[in-house]
Amino acid sequence: MYIAFFKERGHEVIPSASLIPDNDPSVLFTTAGMHPLVPYLLGRDHASGSRLVDYQKCIRTTDIEEVGDLTHLTFFEMLGNWSLGDYYRNESIAWSFEFLTREDYLGIPASSIWVTVFAGTDDVPRDEESAGIWERLGIARDRIVFLGMEHNWWAVGDDGPCGPDTEIFIDMTSAPCANGVQCLPGLCSCGRFFEIWNNVFMSYVRRGGELHDLPKKNVDTGMGFERTLAALNRVDSVYETSALKPIVDRLVSLSSYDDAAIRATPELTRALRIITDHLKASVFILGDDRVVTPSNQGQGYVLRRLIRRAIRFCGLLGVTHQAWAESAQTVLDMFGEVYPELARNSGRIHAQLALECDRFERTLEKGTILLQKEIADLQARNQSQIGGETAFRLYDTYGFPIEFTEELAAEHHLSVDRNDYERRFAEHRDRSKGDAAKSGLADTSEESVRYHTATHLLHAALREILGKHVAQMGSNITRERMRFDFTHPKPLAREEIASVEQLVQSWIDADFPVTHDVMPYEHAEKSGAIGLFEDRYGNDVTVYRIGDVSLELCGGPHVTHTGEIGKFKIEKEQSSSAGVRRIRAVIS
């Protein structure tokens, strides 16, 4: 209906862009419909013209702690219409009002609509023009609220296109809460007002803290799909709309509690909403054609945080992590037709969710025990801050994102020494970069680290299948493949290659823990560790143990469990030099 409305008014339909921004280092994800259009808001001509309309999938994690309330979501869809130097305030506000109130469109009573407009600053005038347009359309002056820059100013970031906006709210109760006259849209969080539409008059660009006029005056609008559904259906939360309710129902059916018990318990209600939102968000991130998988950096870090946070709240509801991951199929059934990339990438979605859940499940209990002990010790000493050393250990050993640790700490009224954590993290990162150079890695990306750990398993498998004479002679690792040189007097038979490949895969599937200790070189030698390129190591060496199958001197970096490596395949085996063979392998 929205698309058709604006097509009738001269707008060209453009497709939803990827969740992963194209050449935009300022954000990890597409957080609003306007992100893919920034170059055109700055003045570039768009191939589809100056009037555009779309629906856009979005990920926003700035309010992740608020997810679980009535309206906040990590993944959401935005309906947007755009004017690139074409129409401005009059048409934009009038069309929004028409679409909302006309009986043959949404039919929302004008009497339930409230709006906020920009109160102005020293640099930008008070937006009396927008207020006047709303009044002429029939919105009473006492339902037009002037708010400052923190509420009614929209910007891409610290620098970039920006401008004042007018936000549209639906009054769900028609009665103020205990805040009385201060129960106003944009200010009161009692749940009375649902914000559903934001019209931004993007006529400025900020550079170096200063505002400049854009060459064209643009309109950028965003209508929250889930919030609009909630307002239309007069329900209390977005989780009761058709965009989320089937996922909620599926997860309730897997819980130890029935729907009535969950609704009666605020803690369980919040947990259910969190695992619903995080499942949907994870499916859409994994299903994007620009591949993102769980990792310790960038978009992969956000994805890992969502999945691991959901697992924790699954425990409160008695939902197993396997069942939660399998519920991805509900999301695919709901949205696979509208977003065909989800159907195309369904195999990856299921596989990565299951793998990440399994990874974290194995360490969650141990990490939680460590954290609980630390909390008890702090409380016994009447202290209120978890040290950076503990927080970093939870991250490095148990895979707890720092935000995860902070959230758990806050539930016990404790804080985390974030500065000390960041210092330790930076030291670890710098060591890893140096270790990577010593280990034949091109970089310390998630992919390269997985390949590096796989070389240990390959080395152990070659010694198991071919004999203890096998010794590593060198390696070269990139994000795309690994190359491993080793001593052996003749080419490998096809059966030997297959046996090595199968043995490595069996150790990956066993999900062995990868641990390390620092010790004097002599102790490492006595422990049976294989010492490669001995002249590279100092007096103290790092010994990496993988289950009971590999013990090697190495500088790292490595994954924490072999299950993180994935599928291992030998692509080629050939001669490198006299008495030295070379294997080229890939993982997926």
Side-chain angles (χ1 to χ4, degrees), residues 102-357:
R102 262 180 53 174
E103 287 297 328
D104 51 341
Y105 287 102
L106 299 192
I108 295 173
S111 59
S112 68
I113 294 176
W114 288 61
V115 298
T116 60
V117 293
F118 186 53
T121 64
D122 292 341
D123 299 320
V124 182
R126 179 179 171 94
D127 193 1
E128 289 289 354
E129 183 181 353
S130 291
I133 296 169
W134 283 117
E135 275 196 283
R136 290 194 295 273
L137 290 169
I139 303 299
R141 189 73 180 189
D142 61 2
R143 286 189 278 120
I144 300 172
V145 181
F146 284 87
L147 297 177
M149 187 167 279
E150 68 274 22
H151 296 285
N152 279 85
W153 183 271
W154 217 99
V156 178
D158 292 337
D159 286 326
C162 53
D165 65 33
T166 180
E167 298 181 352
I168 307 170
F169 297 78
I170 306 299
D171 186 346
M172 302 294 285
T173 68
S174 301
C177 67
N179 289 328
V181 295
Q182 291 303 309
C183 184
L184 295 171
L187 297 178
C188 191
S189 59
C190 69
R192 175 186 174 190
F193 298 104
F194 263 29
E195 179 198 342
I196 62 169
W197 208 335
N198 184 7
N199 294 29
V200 184
F201 307 115
M202 202 163 278
S203 48
Y204 299 92
V205 61
R206 191 186 301 277
R207 297 192 188 98
E210 293 185 357
L211 284 179
H212 304 274
D213 290 335
L214 280 171
K216 297 178 181 177
K217 291 186 174 182
N218 309 302
V219 175
D220 152 29
T221 83
M223 186 181 201
F225 179 60
E226 297 84 359
R227 292 188 180 196
T228 303
L229 286 180
L232 289 172
N233 288 281
R234 312 299 292 184
V235 293
D236 293 333
S237 83
V238 293
Y239 295 93
E240 296 173 65
T241 68
S242 58
L244 289 154
K245 190 65 162 61
I247 310 170
V248 169
D249 291 344
R250 169 64 179 164
L251 294 173
V252 168
S253 74
L254 300 170
S255 173
S256 303
Y257 304 90
D258 61 21
D259 184 65
I262 293 173
R263 286 177 178 271
T265 311
E267 182 184 25
L268 296 180
T269 299
R270 179 171 179 265
L272 178 62
R273 291 171 177 172
I274 288 170
I275 67 172
T276 297
D277 167 83
H278 289 8
L279 178 64
K280 188 175 180 182
S282 299
V283 167
F284 270 88
I285 294 172
L286 285 166
D288 202 278
D289 284 332
R290 293 181 181 167
V291 179
V292 173
T293 55
S295 70
N296 286 335
Q297 56 189 349
Q299 290 102 349
Y301 180 81
V302 174
L303 175 59
R304 170 163 285 171
R305 182 186 174 197
L306 289 171
I307 295 172
R308 295 188 171 191
R309 190 168 187 258
I311 291 172
R312 177 189 163 226
F313 285 99
C314 280
L316 295 178
L317 291 158
V319 177
T320 68
H321 72 273
Q322 297 97 333
W324 177 81
E326 290 167 2
S327 298
Q329 189 59 48
T330 302
V331 184
L332 295 174
D333 292 342
M334 293 169 65
F335 295 97
E337 184 176 347
V338 178
Y339 294 101
E341 63 271 23
L342 297 182
R344 283 196 301 273
N345 300 317
S346 61
R348 180 171 73 232
I349 293 168
H350 283 297
Q352 288 293 328
L353 275 177
L355 181 60
E356 182 64 14
C357 285

Side-chain angles (χ1 to χ4, degrees), residues 55 58 108 174 192 285 294 327 356 394 445 481 544 551 559 578:
Y55 57 89
C58 303
I108 295 173
S174 301
R192 175 186 174 190
I285 294 172
S327 298
E356 182 64 14
L394 285 166
S445 66
R481 55 100 182 119
Y544 273 87
L551 190 67
V559 300

